[in-house]
Amino acid sequence: MTTNPIRWKLHWQILLSLVLTILFGAWILPHTSEGFSAGAISFCQFIGKLFMNALKMVIVPLIVASIISGVMHLGAEKGVGRMGFKTFAYYTFSGAAAVIIGLIVVNIIQPGDVNPETATAMLGSGAETSVSQGLMSKVEGRSSSDLFDIFLRMFPANIVDAATSNGQLLGVITFSILFGAFIGKLKPAQRETQQKFWESAQEVMLLLTDFIIRFAPIGVFGLVVPVIFETDLGDLFGTLAWFFITVLLALTLHFLISMGLVLKFVAKVNPITHYKEMAPVLLTAFSTASSSATLPLTIDTVEERAGVSKKTCSFTLPLGATVNMDGTALYECVVVLFIAQLYASTGQVALGLGDQLLVVFLALTTSIGVAGIPAASLVAIAVILPAVGLPVEAIGVVWLTDRILDMCRTGVNVFSDTVGAVAIAATEGEKPYQNLED
């Protein structure tokens, strides 16, 4: 590896940027004057927002061009239904595996099994946090009926309005799939014109994405420094240490074991190769905490580094960024059971096996059903808590760790999307990483 950082591969540049954010945000800024630190944070927030806006700018046109282009090719081969079935089967399996791992780990570690005084203090503090941070206003009125809203979001009344909101990507995806499918109904000359247009549009969007991603190390620095500076690491690794460790351990097990098995036995590729090649995607997902914002880089990386065809990437990855939320589902399960354990420590009845299985089911379904809603994880947890007899106000208990863990679970969400794309490509007769492993 060259000694000039500018010539390093993207993942090394992003990793260096993350190291510098820790040094700057945790050790340098706290020892500067209040005026300097405030100015530095404002500048970092500006840089971070500029980078996120640039990424979000290309999401909708990239999704539309990619899906329409991909569905056109699938339609020509009569493969839309087959690939759609495989895609949703994978999402169901990976999500279920993640939630079950979360259930097992939280029951083994028992992070909420503390003395009654500590549990009471944490729950009381959590209720106060829910009020002070305005969490209740974000989840007010949410219930299990919100799960049915996913079908309404699939068919927005105004597709232009849906396209202007990154929270309504499901409607954009549905429209793009239908548009691409019905291009196949056109006369040959018209169909060929459409194919050339959308394929060239996709190429332009990928070139624009490549340009924006060159600035990822700078954008990552701007995004992460305020998070590091504003997080009280002492409290984070104090009362909530075991909860934090439980979530990270469960995410790591799913990341390494579940995904590794799929790569080895379904995709027939070396898991280590995939982990290494997806490093830029993982680091960007961690830094942005947004599956949608990472999508442009995800598509580009899976195509270029994994050798997956455009038609497969164009169909599976945009859909995965919207509805495949392994890390989120796992997190919801662990949070609800952690809160239940805290209440059990105060003398209330612990959740039985039936209630825990209900949590598993709801965590899996709500991770899909609330995708795209602002504060999606909070909304999903607010749906699950009352279903098992726990107060919604307790959600404030985990607020302190939510931002850091959001970054971690987003990395798992996006990585699962890449694994799904490679696995589905392999079942479609493609040979991912053939050029790398030959």
Side-chain angles (χ1 to χ4, degrees):
M1 185 171 63
T2 178
T3 55
N4 185 353
I6 298 177
R7 298 180 181 272
W8 289 3
K9 290 185 177 180
L10 180 62
H11 61 276
W12 290 117
Q13 293 182 24
I14 296 176
L15 190 60
L16 173 63
S17 178
L18 286 172
V19 172
L20 292 177
T21 62
I22 295 173
L23 292 174
F24 189 68
W27 288 320
I28 296 178
L29 274 186
H31 297 93
T32 60
S33 66
E34 185 175 341
F36 178 84
S37 62
I41 291 299
S42 295
F43 180 73
C44 287
Q45 288 172 337
F46 167 75
I47 295 297
K49 187 172 183 179
L50 187 65
F51 178 64
M52 284 292 287
N53 285 352
L55 284 176
K56 290 179 179 180
M57 177 182 68
V58 300
I59 290 174
V60 171
L62 179 61
I63 284 179
V64 172
S66 296
I67 290 184
I68 291 176
S69 179
V71 171
M72 283 191 304
H73 289 293
L74 286 172
E77 302 171 8
K78 308 299 181 183
V80 178
R82 183 183 65 248
M83 186 173 289
F85 174 78
K86 291 178 180 179
T87 302
F88 281 101
Y90 169 77
Y91 294 163
T92 302
F93 161 78
S94 62
V99 177
I100 291 171
I101 288 175
L103 177 71
I104 293 172
V105 173
V106 75
N107 275 291
I108 291 175
I109 296 181
Q110 295 279 325
D113 185 11
V114 296
N115 64 67
E117 293 78 12
T118 301
T120 301
M122 291 176 68
L123 291 168
S125 176
E128 292 177 4
T129 301
S130 295
V131 175
S132 64
Q133 296 292 340
L135 303 187
M136 298 310 298
S137 62
K138 296 179 180 179
V139 300
E140 188 176 6
R142 301 294 184 180
S143 67
S144 56
S145 63
D146 288 349
L147 299 179
F148 297 103
D149 287 345
I150 186 173
F151 297 105
L152 296 177
R153 295 202 301 277
M154 288 175 65
F155 299 94
N158 187 333
I159 190 62
V160 176
D161 182 56
T164 61
S165 171
N166 285 329
Q168 295 296 324
L169 292 180
L170 194 57
V172 174
I173 290 172
T174 303
F175 175 82
S176 301
I177 291 174
L178 293 173
F179 191 95
F182 278 92
I183 284 177
K185 304 291 184 181
L186 296 175
K187 295 177 181 179
Q190 295 173 319
R191 184 166 63 245
E192 185 178 350
T193 300
Q194 286 286 326
Q195 288 176 341
K196 288 180 178 179
F197 172 78
W198 290 110
E199 286 172 0
S200 60
Q202 184 186 21
E203 287 295 331
V204 171
M205 294 314 304
L206 289 174
L207 289 172
L208 179 56
T209 297
D210 281 338
F211 173 74
I212 294 172
I213 292 301
R214 292 179 188 176
F215 299 94
I218 300 173
V220 164
F221 186 87
L223 287 168
V224 180
V225 164
V227 176
I228 297 294
F229 180 73
E230 294 166 6
T231 299
D232 190 330
L233 298 179
D235 287 342
L236 182 64
F237 297 108
T239 56
L240 290 172
W242 281 111
F243 167 74
F244 191 83
I245 291 170
T246 300
V247 175
L248 286 184
L249 178 60
L251 289 173
T252 302
L253 290 174
H254 180 64
F255 177 80
L256 294 177
I257 298 177
S258 302
M259 297 294 95
L261 290 174
V262 172
L263 288 167
K264 181 69 175 177
F265 296 106
V266 180
K268 308 294 184 183
V269 301
N270 185 342
I272 296 177
T273 299
H274 189 71
Y275 290 127
K276 181 176 68 175
E277 296 299 328
M278 292 301 114
V281 174
L282 281 169
L283 292 170
T284 303
F286 174 82
S287 305
T288 61
S290 171
S291 299
S292 298
T294 311
L295 180 59
L297 177 61
T298 308
I299 293 175
D300 185 57
T301 305
V302 174
E303 281 187 17
E304 297 297 325
R305 295 196 174 198
V308 176
S309 68
K310 287 184 179 180
K311 68 176 184 180
T312 302
C313 287
S314 299
F315 186 83
T316 60
L317 292 174
L319 202 56
T322 307
V323 300
N324 185 36
M325 303 290 173
D326 292 4
T328 301
L330 183 154
Y331 177 73
E332 293 167 12
C333 178
V334 173
V335 168
V336 173
L337 292 180
F338 169 65
I339 291 173
Q341 290 170 4
L342 287 177
Y343 276 103
S345 296
T346 64
Q348 297 191 28
V349 178
L351 292 186
L353 179 60
D355 286 330
Q356 293 197 25
L357 291 177
L358 177 61
V359 171
V360 169
F361 173 75
L362 290 176
L364 181 59
T365 53
T366 55
S367 67
I368 299 172
V370 300
I373 295 177
S377 293
L378 295 178
V379 172
I381 294 168
V383 169
I384 300 172
L385 286 172
V388 291
L390 297 172
V392 175
E393 293 80 4
I395 200 172
V397 170
V398 298
W399 177 250
L400 181 65
T401 65
D402 188 72
R403 185 66 178 89
I404 299 293
L405 291 177
D406 187 17
M407 299 162 75
C408 297
R409 62 183 182 260
T410 301
V412 173
N413 289 342
V414 174
F415 186 75
S416 177
D417 296 342
T418 69
V419 172
V422 171
I424 292 166
T427 64
E428 288 288 306
E430 299 178 30
K431 296 182 178 179
Y433 291 110
Q434 184 180 40
N435 294 333
L436 290 173
E437 296 182 349
D438 283 349

